[in-house]
Amino acid sequence: MSEISATGSDKAQAADPFCGPDSHGHFGRFGGVFVGETLIAAVEELDRVYSRMAADSAFWAEFDKDLKYYVGRPSPLYFAERLTKHYGGAQIMLKREDLNHTGAHKINNTIGQALLAKHMGKPRIIAETGAGQHGVASATIAARLGLECHVYMGAEDIKRQSANVYRMKLLGAHVVSVESGSRTLKDAMNEALRDWATNVDNTYYIIGTAAGPHPYPKLVRDFQAVIGREARQQSLEQFGRLPDALVACVGGGSNAIGLFHPFLHDREVAMYGVEAGGDGLETGRHAAPLSAGRPGVLHGNRTYLMSDDAGQILETHSVSAGLDYPGVGPEHAWLKDIGRVNYVAATDKEALTAFRALTRMEGIIPALESSHAVAYAGKLAATMSPEQILVVNLSGRGDKDIHTVAEIDGIRI
Amino acid sequence: MSRISQTLSSRKAEGRKVLVPYLVAGDPDPSLTVPLMHALVASGADIIELGMPFSDPSSDGPVIQLGSERALKAGTTLKDVLSIVARFRESDQQTPVVLMGYLNPIEIMGYEAFAEAASGAGVDGLLIVDLPANEGDEFFAAVRPKGLDTIFLVAPTTSESRLASICACSTGYLYYVSLKGVTGAAITDKGDIRAKIEHLRGVTDLPIVVGFGIKGPESAREMAAISDGVIVGSALVDRISYLQPGKPYTQEQIGETVTLISEIREALDA
């Protein structure tokens, strides 16, 4: 609804559009807290605790220590020389989040949130997962901290991502198959919210992306912003200047907001968020709410959504389970509306082509999610000059996807 | 005085508790909802809460989720829900109808258009589960001038400061959630509910109706004893799930489906 708006933050966000969210979680007209009363006390408690911890340098020191010694940060900013030649044009630099422990950027967030859970004295954590990467990252940190862990996963995704399901079980997590609705990520999130409302006293809900009710979009962004801070510093060290453009895939949008946020004030840096175009935006079979959706309210926040004319949430389609979500983080919705970030889409086919190109030319097998970013980066690079620099967030590695790709190739492995 | 407030105050004057059944509009088929609503009134319902089906009912337990899925499968839209109310009103101008559901379908229709259509159809109150009082200014500005009551949930976890702001935004009645969890779960701590409701009485003069875990006559009587009435949702939706969509129904089948409500009525009036 375009007429929705006006919060007390408008003045502050007019002066600095990137200072959000306000104290109620609004990024312009997006974000907020849209949950049932049974969950309000829980999100308010989290907001209080996070505000306190975020102001405490000891908390960040603990976080940074885990990122360094457990995750293996900083992740390199790597010049993909052959890929650059292949696409022709700007130099393509890969931010190697695929090299993190557990194979994706997701661990940055779960480390931060598990520290919050620990400080809040919650012995039980829950998480939702689509591709399984966030589930694995949650199960991992739960194992390390000795927390009970329940991961909600759509029955369809369990079929698509059996290796990650087994990984979570090995790590000691309970994987709960979600049979309701479209049996994918959005339904897993509904089920996790129900669990949280029921077990609110002893349970911490680790949301995997920069969406959901306030303060999740803010705190997930803050934990993922290590990606952008490193990339910014590495750019200055390696090229003596900032890159010309950033490219990241956007499902819920946590890897993208993590890369983009520290660069938002650098107006000379162009930014591109790449959504899952599925079979093509024109077919309606995609997962691209920013490119082809409309504003609405789901899972605790107002944002762009894929919904029909009656306001029901649509099923999404993408070759990549991690992008198969009908909503997107509210800060992306805001950045789209103010024009700071360009949101585009790459189709399944384009992502698969990029998957193969990166694998063959650099010896790096990317996640299908990240392959969407690579696909668009290739197109973009070709329109740029060889002096220009383009940073692509390689948000995860593709080991989890080899069964999907093999199946597309008609191979049984 | 709104139709909801009139109903509640006349029940109070009679020394009776209010009985508020909940069903999902369009479950299992839009043609069954109006006959079910009339049958509920005949069985002793004082107010009807009509669920607006949504694809992602994250505050609801499995029974109401399935009800919502059946209604959507039968093609029920928000416009259909409003026309169901309009048809119900053709022969019942007394019984208040409260629409309960999630914000997105209303947001897509547009607040003004929805408020106009809802009041035109004869809706009396609105309970939007995922719209907390402090996010609702624009919504209230659209619906209040149409005379629609805005009803809110109060949970066992609701803080003192929120309680004050919820009461300030509430009209009609307060919906007290009897448990931590989703609709249809089991009530575990009755003593706590009693204490919370006694506390609420000191904060507000609004009638307090209890819901989320009332399965039958016994739990209804227990909860009504400490409040102004009860809401029965999942237990009724579970009965409705036995009706076949798209098939002709008999008055007998409809009657059997709502016997739970007459049993609860008897228990409340005993």
Side-chain angles (χ1 to χ4, degrees):
Chain A
M1 286 192 62
S2 55
E3 67 266 30
I4 289 176
S5 62
T7 66
S9 71
D10 284 1
K11 263 189 201 155
Q13 289 184 13
D16 175 4
F18 313 126
C19 72
D22 68 10
S23 59
H24 299 289
H26 297 115
F27 298 91
R29 64 179 169 141
F30 299 106
V33 178
F34 294 88
V35 294
E37 187 60 31
T38 47
L39 277 176
I40 291 282
V43 295
E44 284 185 346
E45 181 194 13
L46 180 58
D47 190 30
R48 274 194 307 276
V49 170
Y50 181 62
S51 298
R52 199 175 66 233
M53 302 308 290
D56 181 354
S57 58
F59 174 75
W60 292 109
E62 201 177 357
F63 177 65
D64 289 343
K65 191 175 154 198
D66 278 355
L67 290 185
K68 183 173 178 186
Y69 294 103
Y70 189 66
V71 177
R73 302 202 72 93
S75 67
L77 186 64
Y78 162 79
F79 176 40
E81 197 171 355
R82 291 190 69 213
L83 194 74
T84 296
K85 280 201 188 113
H86 172 71
Y87 288 126
Q91 299 166 54
I92 297 174
M93 309 295 302
L94 303 177
K95 180 61 176 161
R96 298 290 308 275
E97 293 299 300
D98 60 312
L99 294 177
N100 291 341
H101 178 45
T102 71
H105 72 291
K106 295 289 187 189
I107 190 88
N108 304 327
N109 169 44
T110 56
I111 294 238
Q113 292 203 53
L115 284 178
L116 290 177
K118 198 176 87 175
H119 283 285
M120 292 166 83
K122 308 272 186 185
R124 179 176 181 272
I125 62 172
I126 56 171
E128 84 295 336
T129 198
Q133 290 304 91
H134 174 58
V136 168
S138 299
T140 298
I141 197 67
R144 177 160 172 258
L145 297 178
L147 303 170
E148 181 185 335
C149 179
H150 298 257
V151 179
Y152 289 93
M153 189 167 185
E156 280 300 313
D157 291 333
I158 285 182
K159 267 195 286 180
R160 290 198 276 191
Q161 299 288 346
S162 55
N164 269 344
V165 172
Y166 186 58
R167 214 164 271 147
M168 287 184 265
K169 288 181 180 167
L170 282 174
L171 289 160
H174 305 272
V175 180
V176 186
S177 175
V178 177
E179 307 283 345
S180 58
S182 61
R183 318 196 316 165
T184 59
L185 178 55
K186 77 175 178 75
D187 310 287
M189 197 154 175
N190 291 330
E191 207 54 40
L193 287 167
R194 292 176 189 124
D195 179 315
W196 199 24
T198 307
N199 301 297
V200 60
D201 294 332
N202 71 344
T203 297
Y204 183 100
Y205 178 17
I206 303 188
I207 292 186
T209 193
H214 176 69
Y216 283 105
K218 175 184 155 79
L219 66 86
V220 175
R221 174 199 74 196
D222 292 350
F223 294 141
Q224 292 294 1
V226 65
I227 302 171
R229 280 197 305 276
E230 284 177 7
R232 198 171 184 284
Q233 193 190 341
Q234 288 164 327
S235 296
L236 293 172
E237 283 167 11
Q238 292 173 227
F239 339 119
R241 67 180 183 88
L242 296 178
D244 299 282
L246 308 176
V247 180
C249 66
V250 178
S254 70
N255 90 80
I257 203 68
L259 176 65
F260 296 165
H261 197 263
F263 289 93
L264 286 174
H265 287 102
D266 302 314
R267 294 287 185 161
E268 69 275 26
V269 180
M271 300 184 189
Y272 299 85
V274 188
E275 296 191 291
D279 292 344
L281 295 183
E282 69 289 350
T283 66
R285 290 174 51 84
H286 56 79
L290 290 165
S291 306
R294 53 178 132 197
V297 171
L298 178 70
H299 292 154
N301 59 151
R302 179 176 283 119
T303 186
Y304 279 85
L305 298 174
M306 292 188 42
S307 75
D308 65 16
D309 292 337
Q312 305 299 337
I313 306 305
L314 291 167
E315 285 188 31
T316 52
H317 295 274
S318 171
V319 68
S320 142
L323 301 181
D324 217 348
Y325 178 67
V328 64
E331 193 162 9
H332 287 294
W334 167 240
L335 293 171
K336 170 191 162 73
D337 274 17
I338 61 172
R340 178 63 185 95
V341 179
N342 305 290
Y343 292 93
V344 296
T347 63
D348 285 357
K349 214 172 147 189
E350 290 170 325
L352 284 161
T353 303
F355 173 92
R356 294 178 208 281
L358 186 60
T359 301
R360 289 296 181 91
M361 270 171 252
E362 299 290 346
I364 297 170
I365 302 177
L368 285 173
E369 290 78 13
S370 322
S371 300
H372 287 73
V374 176
Y376 187 77
K379 278 200 231 175
L380 182 64
T383 69
M384 296 166 72
S385 76
E387 295 75 46
Q388 291 185 294
I389 297 166
L390 196 162
V391 171
V392 182
N393 201 4
L394 199 66
S395 56
R397 64 176 175 237
D399 306 43
K400 69 183 174 56
D401 294 315
I402 57 171
H403 286 88
T404 305
V405 175
E407 197 178 308
I408 289 166
D409 287 342
I411 296 165
R412 287 180 70 96
I413 52 173
Chain B
M1 198 187 246
S2 74
R3 193 153 36 197
I4 293 173
S5 298
Q6 274 170 12
T7 301
L8 283 152
S9 60
S10 69
R11 288 295 169 277
K12 192 170 185 182
E14 295 159 14
R16 296 173 73 199
K17 303 294 183 179
V18 294
L19 172 54
V20 186
Y22 166 99
L23 72 169
V24 181
D27 171 26
D29 186 306
S31 69
L32 279 163
T33 307
V34 174
L36 278 169
M37 290 168 78
H38 288 309
L40 289 168
V41 174
S43 306
D46 298 302
I47 296 172
I48 291 177
E49 280 190 1
L50 194 58
M52 299 176 279
F54 184 49
S55 52
D56 293 78
S58 55
S59 290
D60 285 299
V63 172
I64 292 177
Q65 287 172 48
L66 288 172
S68 207
E69 281 182 25
R70 288 190 296 268
L72 291 175
K73 204 171 164 201
T76 313
T77 64
L78 181 52
K79 282 183 182 156
D80 297 329
V81 176
L82 295 171
S83 72
I84 283 168
V85 178
R87 273 186 286 137
F88 173 74
R89 278 282 167 262
E90 287 169 10
S91 47
D92 186 329
Q93 285 86 46
Q94 268 79 52
T95 311
V97 174
V98 173
L99 296 186
M100 181 169 178
Y102 297 80
L103 185 58
N104 199 56
I106 296 173
E107 187 137 328
I108 298 299
M109 182 181 278
Y111 292 168
E112 298 287 343
F114 170 75
E116 183 77 42
S119 100
V123 172
D124 299 283
L126 302 166
L127 199 174
I128 312 304
V129 179
D130 57 350
L131 181 65
N134 54 309
E135 293 279 5
D137 290 353
E138 303 219 8
F139 181 74
F140 301 148
V143 304
R144 289 214 171 114
K146 300 288 175 192
L148 295 163
D149 279 323
T150 49
I151 295 152
F152 289 91
L153 302 177
V154 172
T157 49
T158 300
S159 69
E160 200 62 18
S161 59
R162 277 191 73 77
L163 199 54
S165 67
I166 291 172
C167 292
C169 294
S170 296
T171 58
Y173 56 90
L174 278 185
Y175 185 135
Y176 185 74
V177 176
S178 60
L179 49 85
K180 289 175 188 166
V182 293
T183 53
I187 294 173
T188 51
D189 192 346
K190 287 167 200 143
D192 186 53
I193 300 170
R194 178 191 297 275
K196 287 271 168 52
I197 290 177
E198 275 168 15
H199 177 72
L200 272 175
R201 297 282 191 205
V203 180
T204 180
D205 294 329
L206 284 166
I208 298 162
V209 186
V210 179
F212 268 48
I214 292 166
K215 310 265 189 214
E218 193 187 339
S219 49
R221 198 175 46 230
E222 283 172 348
M223 288 299 119
I226 54 175
S227 67
D228 297 298
V230 292
I231 298 148
V232 181
S234 295
L236 175 63
V237 173
D238 187 46
R239 304 287 175 101
I240 291 173
S241 73
Y242 293 97
L243 293 170
Q244 297 291 315
K247 289 199 180 153
Y249 56 86
T250 61
Q251 276 310 317
E252 199 183 349
Q253 286 169 310
I254 295 279
E256 275 169 26
T257 305
V258 301
T259 49
L260 174 72
I261 298 304
S262 33
E263 285 160 24
I264 292 177
R265 178 83 266 171
E266 275 174 37
L268 294 184
D269 291 346

